[in-house]
Amino acid sequence: MAVQSDTSNVIDALGPYDRAKALSAFKAGDLTFYWITRISAISVLVILGGIIISLIIGAWPAMREYGFAFLWTQRWAPSADPPVLGALGPVYGTLITSFIAMLIAIPVGLGIAVFLTELCPQLLRRPIGIAIELLAGIPSIIYGMWGFFVLGPFLANTFQPFMIRIFDGVPVLDAVFAGPPSYLSLFNAALILAIMVLPFITAISVDVFKTVPPVLKEAAYGMGCTTWEVVRNVVIPYTRVGVIGGVMLALGRALGETMAVTFIIGNSFRISSSIFAPGTTISAAIASEFAESDGLHQSGLILLGLLLFVLTFFVLAGARLMLLRLEKKAGK
Amino acid sequence: MNFVKAICAAGVLAVSTPAFAADITGAGSTFIFPVLSKWADAYKKESGNGVNYQSIGSGAGIKQIQANTVTFGATDAPLKAEQLQKDGLAQWPMIMGAIVPVVNIEGVKPGELVLDGQTMGEIFLGKITKWDDAAIKKLNPNVKLPSDAIAVVHRADGSGTTFNFTDYLSKVSADWKSKVGSGTAVEWPVGVGAKGNEGVAGNIGQTKNSIGYVEYAYAKQNKLTYTALVNKAGKTIQPSNESFQAAASNADWTNAPGYYLILTDQPGDKSWPIVASTFVLMHKEASDKAASQEALKFFKYAFEKGAKSAEELDYIPMPDSVIKLIEKTWNADIKS
């Protein structure tokens, strides 16, 4: 008792002065921390704004020359006098390759994730998991070279003739799978993109699948659910937001991928109904033509870049909106 | 005492040398880069002056010299005399190279297949689609040609090689001129695009029944199947140093203001029809006259002693008569 009152006396004696000092020191620390984080956050906005502004300045001559017709003109003739430039070919190529890539990568990526978390024997889990992560670590130029030297010839000699023969004479599909087979095509590029984005979808899905409380799954199994029913009705609904986040990350990568695509897409600005025909994407067009471009041609390429920026923005914004709606629906 | 003097002298020298040895700066054409860097190496050993050349592409090179950020620019597509006048620039050809069509057809050896400009134009326009087309057969009665579709490969990146190749097609095919025209990047009616000479070479090597065009050095180093061409005089010509030289020597440089001359479809019985040159651009009234003179010294050295290293890299050195002409232009145009 005596000791206690002693210390409290001492604290009281020293009290007001030191407390104010300590508090102000905390306050200064807090303030500094607040400003450091705030400046970091704001710098992102400044950089983003700077990029948009410089893109608009660079693209301005082309915007004034072509206006909105740039969006639906298919011709790309930089050496014509005056140059005729239209974004339809690259925009079409960007969207179609990303679409096919996601069509392949989402089921396969989710399949791998489900297998790894629900079905895989413990022994195989680590090797497969590490292999997927290594896939993400391969530089894109390596994918390009592999696609060019190995995958392209393989597809052109086996898969493509097979598909062309199967759908020959079927309305619509015979135009989509029209020949001749090509080493360099939209489909080859899409397939490489699918392999490149697979690790994003798988790795994130595995992580979120692991967050599903075992009690939920066990309850479902206890009711007599099959593994498929558990995945379909418990795991996926529970992790929906995370899975869609992973898919969007993958889509963002697919839309902007440059080097691997430039190698294997064939860099042709023509639009063909066939996915086995060469095409180009926005980033591939910029990468291959920017170095020797000048004047309106260069401005047109910068405008393409701005378009990719806007396109990616809308795709990601659309994804957020979809997510919001899903959450609302789930809340009801 | 002498020792101290020597040290002082050495010190003065050491301090003063760098002032003279400012690097010569240049930018532009990627086509000239391999030989230019070889010349620069040899020149540095001899004179102590280095050359800092950025191979960023002809268009960018022109922009840099116009903006006066470099001492010289290099371009594969020459500037017209009016443009030179406007920018106060002097222009001359520095080195030449040849462009050859390359094919990949089973059983066809290098130099065996013969094409003329008209036929090649129609192949690249997509009008001739099969290798056993009557027009190709007529030129090659003794070559066994498959009845397969022709796969056209072109450059995807803007390049001087494309500029000269399409310029040739424009000269020999009216159809090509009206539909596509010439330029560093054009609107290709058919085919796939590959990046750089090495990309085209790689594609041709991979794809059966393909045709493309590359610089001669690439065709030679990659052992690609080049074709013979029919030249302006109607003679069938094999690509070789002699036929390239013949095209260069038949060119009439004296009557070309600003040396504006594109060496495609040149006259002469032995001329190879697609020869390209790289041009150097310098300001007539340079803001830094000392740097400008240093650059001229380097080019003089390259003309006088660089021919051998150029030939080793499969370039074609300028003929002596043209070099004399160019040196006269330097004295007349570029103020020291």
Side-chain angles (χ1 to χ4, degrees):
Chain A
M1 273 308 268
V3 174
Q4 226 173 24
S5 71
D6 250 17
T7 40
S8 66
N9 277 346
V10 170
I11 287 168
D12 278 347
L14 291 169
Y17 175 67
D18 260 6
R19 188 175 296 156
K21 195 176 169 189
L23 280 180
S24 77
F26 288 156
K27 209 171 170 185
D30 264 355
L31 212 65
T32 331
F33 188 64
Y34 169 74
W35 275 107
I36 288 173
T37 50
R38 186 178 194 170
I39 288 168
S40 308
I42 289 173
S43 71
V44 173
L45 291 180
V46 171
I47 291 168
L48 193 70
I51 292 174
I52 294 176
I53 289 168
S54 55
L55 276 178
I56 290 174
I57 291 172
W60 185 244
M63 279 161 127
R64 238 184 18 195
E65 178 77 20
Y66 304 113
F68 282 106
F70 188 73
L71 293 174
W72 51 79
T73 307
Q74 199 204 318
R75 258 190 98 193
W76 184 270
S79 62
D81 194 26
V84 180
L85 302 175
L88 199 60
V91 169
Y92 167 81
T94 306
L95 293 177
I96 204 84
T97 47
S98 292
F99 177 72
I100 299 172
M102 298 320 280
L103 216 58
I104 300 168
I106 292 174
V108 176
L110 287 182
I112 298 171
V114 169
F115 180 75
L116 280 180
T117 50
E118 304 294 325
L119 303 164
C120 188
Q122 202 65 40
L123 204 69
L124 272 179
R125 215 167 266 198
R126 274 186 72 85
I128 295 180
I130 289 172
I132 298 283
E133 272 163 34
L134 281 180
L135 222 50
I138 299 175
S140 67
I141 190 82
I142 307 289
Y143 279 106
M145 283 162 66
W146 180 72
F148 181 74
F149 286 114
V150 182
L151 189 69
F154 173 74
L155 288 175
N157 294 326
T158 56
F159 182 72
Q160 293 186 4
F162 173 73
M163 294 301 271
I164 292 165
R165 213 170 309 138
I166 281 191
F167 291 109
D168 191 21
V170 182
V172 184
L173 285 180
D174 72 339
V176 174
F177 298 102
S182 168
Y183 288 13
L184 309 167
S185 73
L186 288 169
F187 177 76
N188 294 11
L191 192 58
I192 287 282
L193 280 179
I195 299 171
M196 291 178 77
V197 300
L198 202 62
F200 290 85
I201 296 177
T202 302
I204 290 176
S205 302
V206 165
D207 284 346
V208 293
F209 285 175
K210 278 185 188 155
T211 64
V212 178
V215 64
L216 287 184
K217 286 193 278 184
E218 278 158 16
Y221 281 123
M223 303 261 298
C225 287
T226 59
T227 314
W228 160 248
E229 283 166 335
V230 171
V231 170
R232 165 79 186 75
N233 298 318
V234 178
V235 176
I236 299 274
Y238 190 86
T239 56
R240 196 179 44 224
V241 176
V243 169
I244 291 178
V247 168
M248 284 307 134
L249 201 66
L251 182 57
R253 170 109 200 245
L255 285 171
E257 174 52 40
T258 310
M259 222 45 239
V261 172
T262 312
F263 253 65
I264 49 180
I265 200 162
N267 300 304
S268 148
F269 285 82
R270 295 178 304 279
I271 294 179
S272 164
S273 66
S274 170
I275 57 169
F276 295 148
T280 190
T281 68
I282 293 178
S283 48
I286 296 172
S288 46
E289 290 200 358
F290 199 79
E292 281 276 353
S293 65
D294 49 10
L296 214 51
H297 183 195
Q298 190 164 66
S299 176
L301 288 171
I302 297 174
L303 184 51
L304 270 185
L306 185 64
L307 219 56
L308 181 62
F309 201 104
V310 173
L311 201 73
T312 316
F313 178 80
F314 273 117
V315 167
L316 294 181
R320 285 242 156 239
L321 222 68
M322 197 170 79
L323 224 60
L324 228 63
R325 199 177 282 172
L326 272 176
E327 263 162 29
K328 245 187 205 158
K329 220 164 115 191
K332 266 179 196 167
Chain B
M1 238 357 225
N2 276 340
F3 178 68
V4 173
K5 262 186 194 163
I7 290 210
C8 284
V12 168
L13 270 178
V15 169
S16 58
T17 334
F20 292 110
D23 273 1
I24 302 158
T25 57
S29 155
T30 47
F31 179 80
I32 198 176
F33 180 61
V35 67
L36 195 78
S37 49
K38 208 163 179 186
W39 288 339
D41 263 0
Y43 186 65
K44 173 130 195 165
K45 266 177 214 144
E46 194 143 308
S47 68
N49 286 5
V51 177
N52 176 6
Y53 183 75
Q54 307 159 31
S55 63
I56 49 176
S58 298
I62 293 172
K63 242 178 270 166
Q64 296 254 352
I65 186 72
Q66 279 167 343
N68 209 4
T69 49
V70 287
T71 312
F72 71 92
T75 172
D76 299 329
L79 291 182
K80 294 228 167 72
E82 307 91 73
Q83 185 68 38
L84 291 172
Q85 192 75 36
K86 207 180 111 203
D87 293 328
L89 292 172
Q91 171 177 271
W92 67 89
M94 195 65 215
I95 193 80
M96 295 177 290
I99 295 159
V100 295
V102 285
V103 295
N104 179 354
I105 309 169
E106 217 164 285
V108 174
K109 287 187 279 297
E112 201 180 346
L113 193 76
V114 180
L115 293 172
D116 61 11
Q118 184 67 31
T119 312
M120 199 153 66
E122 286 187 5
I123 291 175
F124 278 87
L125 275 171
K127 281 187 174 169
I128 294 178
T129 55
K130 297 249 156 117
W131 277 113
D132 60 352
D133 190 281
I136 306 177
K137 267 187 168 166
K138 204 176 139 200
L139 287 162
N140 300 280
N142 300 322
V143 181
K144 201 174 154 256
L145 291 162
S147 124
D148 291 312
I150 302 176
V152 171
V153 182
H154 56 76
R155 286 284 288 270
D157 48 332
S159 90
T161 313
T162 300
F163 171 80
N164 284 289
F165 184 73
T166 52
D167 180 80
Y168 170 66
L169 290 183
S170 300
K171 277 180 184 159
V172 293
S173 157
D175 222 15
W176 180 272
K177 190 172 185 178
S178 65
K179 285 193 181 133
V180 183
S182 69
T184 54
V186 298
E187 185 190 14
W188 296 96
V190 288
V192 299
K195 203 164 160 54
N197 276 297
E198 60 282 4
V200 173
N203 259 298
I204 297 285
Q206 285 251 321
T207 317
K208 278 198 191 102
N209 301 313
S210 56
I211 183 168
Y213 58 94
V214 293
E215 279 157 32
Y216 177 63
Y218 281 88
K220 202 175 151 193
Q221 283 155 18
N222 292 303
K223 303 205 167 51
L224 293 174
T225 311
Y226 52 80
T227 72
L229 281 176
V230 177
N231 67 9
K232 200 174 186 176
K235 299 276 188 314
T236 301
I237 297 294
Q238 292 287 341
S240 68
N241 280 339
E242 294 82 64
S243 62
F244 305 155
Q245 291 274 13
S249 60
N250 278 318
D252 184 13
W253 292 103
T254 17
N255 292 318
Y259 296 97
Y260 184 88
L261 197 60
I262 300 164
L263 291 177
T264 55
D265 204 28
Q266 288 297 312
D269 277 357
K270 288 181 182 156
S271 299
W272 179 253
I274 323 175
V275 169
S277 31
T278 298
F279 298 81
V280 168
L281 294 166
M282 273 177 65
H283 281 283
K284 286 180 178 169
E285 287 273 1
S287 51
D288 184 353
K289 292 207 172 63
S292 172
Q293 287 307 309
E294 283 302 320
L296 283 184
K297 264 186 218 158
F298 167 65
F299 290 128
K300 195 174 162 64
Y301 170 85
F303 273 146
E304 279 165 8
K305 300 199 176 147
K308 203 169 148 274
S309 49
E311 273 168 354
E312 276 165 17
L313 293 169
D314 292 305
Y315 288 87
I316 313 154
M318 300 305 296
D320 284 342
S321 56
V322 182
I323 292 178
K324 285 210 183 78
L325 211 64
I326 293 169
E327 285 179 345
K328 254 185 230 156
T329 319
W330 289 348
N331 290 334
D333 281 359
I334 297 176
K335 307 277 185 311
S336 58

